[in-house]
Amino acid sequence: MSPLQLSVYWRLSLLFFFTPFLFFLDIFTAAIAARTCRHDNGTEASASWLGTFPRSAERNQSQHGEVSELSADWRKDKSQQHSVCSWTDWLSYGQTVYMVGLLLGSMVGGAISDRYGKRPVLLVCACVQAFCGLVPAVFPQPLLFLTIRCLTAVCCCCINICAFSLAVEWTLPAARLWPPAFLPFCFSLGTMGGAPLAWLSPTWTYLHLLLALPQIVCLPLYLSIPESPRWLLLQRRKDVLEGYRSNSPADKKCLDLLLDSAWSDLQKAAEAQTQTAASGGHAPSDITHLRHPTILLRLFVMSYLSAATALTYYGICLNIGSFGVGVYAAQFFSGLSESPCLLVPLVRIGRRLICMLALFLSGTSCLISLLLSRYDGTPALVMSLALLGKLCILAATFISVLYCIELFPTVVRQRCISLVNLSYRLGCLVTTFVPPSPTGAISLAAMVVYSSGPIIGCGLCLLLPETSGVPLPDSLEDCNRQPKNQPARMNALWMPRKPVSSQPRTTEIALPEIVIIQTPNTPFLEQQ
């Protein structure tokens, strides 16, 4: 691994570690509001980690309460008309506004990064996100708070798009499964790290300071992140590429391999365009491709899987305090439960089979958790089963991202992935409108949806072909040639992989005069 690759990976990992600090902020603000805007003693702050304060303080719905004389910035009196306790009802809209921001970010993030480069967008969004966490501590105003939440979500989505693409484009084709698994692992570590920081925060001000200041301190470290070699190649920034290649012999070798792979992809796209022009006539329009039954079927299945996985994942994440366990401990174990997803790239039983297994296990775990909660099961056991379902649905999400890229042909892959991503964001948004039960727990109807959605998706996967080990399709004919009912080979779990040659090219790379191709707007599009 070259020094530039290490620079990309560990800096992006640090950025992903801090992302959940503000991603799950609404959970912590609701818990602190329920605890401090009341006439309670000060023992609850320390006991809340173990889940000993009332259940009404654990759910993600903001509540009114009396004034705590121990927390000055939460005090409601005539001299502080704009304190947080005077507008706790607004906090309940924070999650919805945040999901709207994620939806907006998914619409503009890819286009902006393609135009201006991934590195500038990543740096700007990292700075804006860090300082957005600081603003509510200084100006606790309801409209400003919701605006900041929306802006933070837009930056978070842009960071995800740019970081995933940058990590994949700095990785050789043989190892491109690892960045999509490692970055979410860092996100899980950040989820675990943010919980104790929030637990140590007695007030609104301390909460935002503890979650924002570490991000601000680490901002200078991101300045050394290099730009995507593929984007530099397309923009003919040969001077920057030469600067990267002269950094060290290992960087020169790595860039030769990366640029060789990128140039090979560009040549294939140019040859496909040339063959279309030489065959006479013009290529079918994108609308024609999208109307094909094969594409429509795959688009329907993948859109359903995206919406179902989003509903289940965020339905559990955003209601993690509703399982009878302290919200901070539940958030910590929520991040811990996602850590095994780092091992997903080691499982080699095919995209379809592992996706079906993950979806089935997720739905089953949520269903059993629902049954136990209805029959007064142990809160720890109920939460453990729900977190197991969350782990499986996260694995299914990770696999479906790669699966989606391998299912659609090159001519409409970008548009299909955008539609699937839109379904995912809509599923996230719908989650925030699901009301809890009168007791504060997840409602029966919601848990039925969270458990049945993945199980139905497991059955729909039978309509899809197996794409593992098959070249990416470039046309509808390639899609029709994909194996429909290829059985998974269980011996692939222990069979060694064929080594991939890593010898660099000895000839220099000639940059093209004009490259008529668009760069991807979504992560993993260059997956080999």
Side-chain angles (χ1 to χ4, degrees), residues 225-497:
I225 295 179
E227 184 56 89
S228 163
R230 178 184 287 262
W231 187 84
L232 294 173
L233 176 64
L234 292 171
Q235 300 296 320
R236 297 187 52 77
R237 301 286 298 276
K238 189 175 181 179
D239 54 335
V240 181
L241 287 173
E242 289 298 329
Y244 290 164
R245 295 177 78 249
S246 61
N247 187 52
S248 69
D251 288 328
K252 182 178 183 299
K253 176 181 178 181
C254 174
L255 275 170
D256 286 342
L257 291 171
L258 292 172
L259 293 177
D260 191 16
S261 174
W263 179 233
S264 176
D265 291 344
L266 296 177
Q267 282 183 322
K268 290 179 181 178
E271 289 174 359
Q273 294 177 358
T274 303
Q275 291 175 0
T276 301
S279 61
H282 56 276
S285 63
D286 293 342
I287 299 298
T288 302
H289 286 95
L290 289 174
R291 289 178 178 175
H292 194 275
T294 300
I295 301 300
L296 288 176
L297 175 62
R298 297 182 181 186
L299 187 59
F300 167 75
V301 175
M302 297 309 299
S303 298
Y304 175 84
L305 291 182
S306 295
T309 53
L311 278 171
T312 303
Y313 181 79
Y314 288 102
I316 296 176
C317 283
L318 300 181
N319 295 278
I320 196 65
S322 303
F323 294 101
V325 182
V327 64
Y328 303 107
Q331 187 69 9
F332 177 85
F333 288 109
S334 176
L336 182 63
S337 68
E338 297 179 1
S339 301
C341 274
L342 184 62
L343 304 177
V344 169
L346 300 177
V347 181
R348 292 165 285 177
I349 58 176
R351 303 280 190 264
R352 185 177 60 179
L353 181 58
I354 188 175
C355 191
M356 291 175 63
L357 287 175
L359 289 169
F360 181 77
L361 289 176
S362 174
T364 304
S365 299
C366 291
L367 182 60
I368 297 176
S369 174
L370 169 65
L371 295 177
L372 289 178
S373 65
R374 294 299 159 185
Y375 291 98
D376 297 327
T378 306
L381 180 59
V382 173
M383 189 191 71
S384 299
L385 288 171
L387 293 183
L388 176 60
K390 177 170 169 279
L391 167 64
C392 295
I393 208 67
L394 182 64
T397 303
F398 162 60
I399 293 298
S400 64
V401 169
L402 299 177
Y403 205 3
C404 187
I405 295 171
E406 297 168 344
L407 282 172
F408 298 109
T410 304
V411 289
V412 291
R413 182 178 296 128
Q414 176 60 45
R415 288 168 176 79
C416 291
I417 291 178
S418 298
L419 292 174
V420 173
N421 186 50
L422 179 62
S423 301
Y424 185 84
R425 293 305 175 190
L426 290 176
C428 299
L429 186 59
V430 170
T431 306
T432 62
F433 293 105
V434 178
S437 64
T439 61
I442 301 178
S443 63
L444 176 63
M447 283 302 294
V448 169
V449 172
Y450 299 157
S451 58
S452 62
I455 295 178
I456 296 175
C458 175
L460 291 177
C461 285
L462 295 174
L463 302 176
L464 301 176
E466 177 57 60
T467 60
S468 180
V470 178
L472 291 178
D474 294 319
S475 63
L476 290 173
E477 291 75 15
D478 294 337
C479 291
N480 293 327
R481 284 194 291 266
Q482 288 178 326
K484 294 292 189 299
N485 297 307
Q486 181 182 4
R489 295 177 299 173
M490 299 303 293
N491 58 352
L493 288 171
W494 57 81
M495 288 180 62
R497 292 184 178 180

Side-chain angles (χ1 to χ4, degrees), residues 36 50 59 74 93 106 118 121 168 187 197-198 216 220 299 304 323 326 333 355 379 399 443 448 450 468 499 524:
T36 54
L50 300 177
R59 57 192 175 109
W74 287 87
Y93 299 104
S106 65
K118 297 174 178 61
V121 176
V168 170
F187 186 90
L197 287 179
I216 296 176
L299 187 59
Y304 175 84
F323 294 101
F333 288 109
C355 191
I399 293 298
S443 63
V448 169
Y450 299 157
S468 180
F524 322 134

